[in-house]
Amino acid sequence: MTNFSHQYSNFDGPGAVRACLRSIDWQACPLGPPAAWPSELSAVVNLMLNSRFPMFVAWGPKLIFLYNDDYATIMGDKHPGGLGQRFEQVWGEIWPVIAPIAADAMAGRSSYFEDLPLMIKRDASVQRAWFTFSYSPVAGSGGGVGGIYCAVVETTANVEARQVQAFQLHLSDTLRALTSSEAIVAAASESLGRATQVARVLYAEVDDERGTFYIRRDWLAKGALSVAGEIRRLDDFGPQVIARLRAGHPIAVADVFTDVFTAPFASAYRAMGVGAMVSVPLVKGGKLIAILSMHSDVARAWHDSDVRMAQEMAERTWSAVESAQAQGQLRESNQRKDEFLAMLAHELRNPLAPISAAAELMERSPQDAERVRRTSAVISRQVRHMTGLVDDLLDVSRVTRGQVTLNQAPQDMKNVVASAVEQVRPLIGARNHRLTLELPPETAQVLGDETRLVQVITNLLNNAAKYTPEGGHVRLTMATEPSQVIVRVIDDGIGIAPELQTRVFDLFAQAERTSDRSQGGLGLGLALVKSLVALHGGQVSCFSEGANCGSSFSLRLPRFEALPEPVERRKHPRLEAADANERIMIVDDNADAATMLGMLLEASGHEVMVENRSLAGLKLATEALPAICILDIGLPDMDGYELARRLREVRGLERALLIAVTGYGQESDRQRAFAAGFDHHMVKPVDAQKLLRIVAGHSVLAGV
């Protein structure tokens, strides 16, 4: 190639473009040798080459393209081949946009554009870029326009930064009012898709253990193929890609058919219509949970802003989804709690109605002994029912707060089942159920609290009986494994809806199982079962095929291997009422409660004195020296603890039997009562039979 640099000294000097200009065969170029160029072209080229601002010149009817070093960075791999070529050949991909602007300049009209977006092809890929530039006509030697002079700056980085900020604001505004997880993902996917002008944005949930992902939803540009609802294998898309996602790193692939990591798996991408992609992972607890991907149907060079917007969308979306789920769970919990409180009010009002009616009837017919006996029986049954409701509430509260201590010892689960069946048999019989037991021949021993284990099995059997129509079948099976004892309670009752099975053991959830509350109860049994089983190191689960398909509850407890010597239980002889009557003092500021309790004790042959104030009770006890003092704790002038301490200091009352009666039944309340000098602690409403046995027992011991 002939060197024509001597023909034009302005090509001398530093710079890559000058070096290229010196090497061009200008004889073959429409511009001809530089020495023959018109002075106007020479002047503008000289100005351009000596500038540090990106510039180009397009000269003559064919708009031959010349540029400087700073513009060469915009050219990418079009440099140096673009020097001396026709403008429309150099920038053919954007010529339909540029041609009218160039025509205006050649007609003598200047133009200015700020942040004009163009899809340009450089570095072997098509990419979106923005430019601020002006086209100015340059006079030729004949007096007309000889060419175009352009000063240009690429503003892609600034525009993308503003777009990311605008996208962040738009996304925040869009997601702020949404409360549904589905709506959040849909709105965020659409926002990202439109901002990045991709063909598809999809959200996939990953089952990393199975190596699959489920495409929950996708947003599509017009004409794009939906893949929502499909399940795909992770490894079908390249182990290196998935490994990077598992490590928590986003990945951008400009061309899945040539990328070293994705090309061997091109068929999987082709089946989804993917030519280029950006994927952002969600990793929690070291596991890949979800993937957000945006796809182009053709190869595309991704900018940092594309990846940043995808990451921003993923982070904000997942945060919004978690918040929406938490708020939804809170709303659902509050709703269940409200339903529970309404049910609790209903359950408490039910026994109050017959109690109120019975009391009024007794007042009207006090001389009718048979009617009084029958109404008293009604009151006793309803009070026991109300006491059971309150005990259930307190029991589940203590257990769920971890305030229960297990008295653990080796237990044969067959004995536990026998005790539970004994308790539930009246309900089974009342509903005419057929109860079948299938127990193993070998010992099924666990380490646990006998009372609590009986409570667990009883609750499961009660639950089965309550929700199985009359004449149904309840079956209890037990099996042993080397490390477990498995108990199943199976019924052919009303079943459990699939959406309820995941939370049937939660507090307040069971009230939804059926609108039929004819069996009563607060629906706390299964929550109590779950907590007690967990305290024993076991697990409980349920299964039902749906409405009217019955239910199966499975209980798994660790098997106790060592078989210790059988321990003979301590026998507690039943104490019958003694012949001797006792002098008993009752102190309770609830006058009705004190009077009724006094009447009960008097009916058993005891001498009873009643006071409603602590100081009056202390004075009476000092004078009368009762053998037994029954004291309320919540007294107005001096609480029962202090009264008990003072009574112990009275000469002659050192051995008196002190019984605390209170509405507080926590273990801490019991310990405080014993520390104050009480011998017994009873929770209101008082179990009358138990109180009479305590009094009778004191009479027996006092006579020894």
Side-chain angles (χ1 to χ4, degrees), residues 75-143:
M75 294 280 288
D77 61 1
K78 293 178 183 288
H79 171 73
L83 283 170
Q85 301 299 316
R86 296 177 62 174
F87 193 174
E88 63 179 306
Q89 292 176 338
V90 175
W91 291 111
E93 68 274 15
I94 58 172
W95 188 244
V97 177
I98 297 300
I101 305 173
D104 280 349
M106 292 301 289
R109 294 184 292 272
S110 297
S111 58
Y112 174 80
F113 293 89
E114 186 170 358
D115 296 331
L116 180 70
L118 298 170
M119 294 298 294
I120 64 174
K121 185 176 182 180
R122 58 183 176 187
D123 301 329
S125 63
V126 176
Q127 50 191 262
R128 186 177 65 253
W130 287 263
F131 299 92
T132 294
F133 59 90
S134 65
Y135 277 18
S136 302
V138 180
S141 57

Side-chain angles (χ1 to χ4, degrees), residues 445-456:
Q445 193 161 234
V446 301
L447 187 65
D449 186 313
E450 180 184 18
T451 301
R452 292 301 187 176
L453 290 174
V454 170
Q455 187 178 9
V456 166

Side-chain angles (χ1 to χ4, degrees), residues 490-555:
I490 306 162
D491 64 65
D492 55 4
I494 64 173
I496 308 174
E499 64 273 12
L500 184 59
Q501 293 180 33
T502 57
R503 52 186 178 84
V504 72
F505 295 100
D506 295 344
L507 282 173
F508 315 127
Q510 287 137 291
E512 299 174 9
R513 186 175 178 183
T514 174
S515 59
D516 177 16
R517 298 296 305 164
S518 61
Q519 295 305 315
L522 298 178
L524 299 174
L526 293 182
L528 193 58
V529 164
K530 180 181 178 181
S531 298
L532 289 175
V533 169
L535 288 176
H536 284 83
Q539 294 178 327
V540 64
S541 60
C542 73
F543 173 75
S544 173
E545 293 185 354
N548 301 316
C549 294
S551 306
S552 173
F553 287 81
S554 298
L555 167 65

Side-chain angles (χ1 to χ4, degrees), residues 14-18 48-49 51 67-74 79:
V17 169
R18 278 191 169 95
M48 176 187 71
L49 292 176
S51 174
Y67 51 86
N68 61 8
D69 284 307
D70 290 278
Y71 189 85
T73 60
I74 295 175
H79 171 73

Side-chain angles (χ1 to χ4, degrees), residues 409-410 450 564-572:
E450 180 184 18
E565 293 294 327
V567 179
E568 185 175 339
R569 294 185 182 179
R570 186 175 60 178
K571 307 271 186 201
H572 296 281

Side-chain angles (χ1 to χ4, degrees), residues 217-453:
R217 66 161 45 252
D218 55 13
W219 173 86
L220 306 170
K222 186 176 180 180
L225 173 69
S226 175
V227 290
E230 296 185 8
I231 298 177
R232 304 281 180 127
R233 287 177 48 83
L234 288 168
D235 286 344
D236 288 348
F237 295 85
Q240 292 92 338
V241 171
I242 304 305
R244 183 172 177 83
L245 294 175
R246 284 195 179 104
H249 302 302
I251 188 167
V253 178
D255 189 341
V256 299
F257 301 108
T258 60
D259 186 274
V260 64
F261 291 153
T262 59
F265 307 92
S267 58
Y269 291 99
R270 185 179 292 109
M272 292 181 66
V274 180
M277 69 170 185
V278 172
S279 295
V280 179
L282 172 63
V283 177
K284 284 190 174 181
K287 288 187 176 182
L288 181 61
I289 303 298
I291 300 173
L292 169 78
S293 285
M294 56 183 188
H295 299 156
S296 170
D297 51 2
V298 296
R300 170 173 171 173
W302 302 104
H303 289 284
D304 289 342
S305 62
D306 298 322
V307 180
R308 286 171 56 197
M309 281 192 279
Q311 288 179 295
E312 187 74 23
M313 180 267 193
E315 292 172 3
R316 293 186 181 232
T317 300
W318 288 326
S319 177
V321 166
E322 288 180 342
S323 176
Q325 290 174 342
Q327 292 177 12
Q329 291 170 357
L330 182 60
R331 286 193 298 271
E332 184 179 353
S333 175
N334 286 337
Q335 180 182 353
R336 294 204 306 266
K337 194 177 298 182
D338 290 342
E339 292 171 353
F340 170 79
L341 290 175
M343 182 181 66
L344 174 60
H346 170 76
E347 292 294 332
L348 290 176
R349 287 192 187 101
N350 278 344
L352 288 176
I355 289 174
S356 177
E360 185 173 345
L361 186 60
M362 290 176 70
E363 184 178 355
R364 292 185 178 186
S365 306
Q367 304 303 321
D368 189 336
E370 177 59 22
R371 179 170 288 180
V372 169
R373 186 192 64 78
R374 289 167 57 192
T375 54
S376 295
V378 169
I379 292 174
S380 296
R381 282 197 303 273
Q382 297 305 320
V383 167
R384 285 196 299 272
H385 177 60
M386 291 184 69
T387 302
L389 296 177
V390 175
D391 286 345
D392 281 349
L393 284 170
L394 294 175
D395 208 13
V396 77
S397 174
R398 285 192 294 266
V399 171
T400 53
R401 286 185 294 149
Q403 295 183 338
V404 169
T405 302
L406 299 180
N407 298 317
Q408 291 191 326
Q411 309 290 344
D412 188 341
M413 284 300 294
K414 290 194 288 186
N415 293 335
V416 171
V417 168
S419 298
V421 169
E422 184 69 22
Q423 293 189 26
V424 80
R425 194 172 292 281
L427 178 59
I428 294 287
R431 295 182 65 79
N432 197 27
H433 289 151
R434 182 163 56 93
L435 176 62
T436 304
L437 303 180
E438 300 174 16
L439 306 180
E442 69 274 9
T443 300
Q445 193 161 234
V446 301
L447 187 65
D449 186 313
E450 180 184 18
T451 301
R452 292 301 187 176
L453 290 174

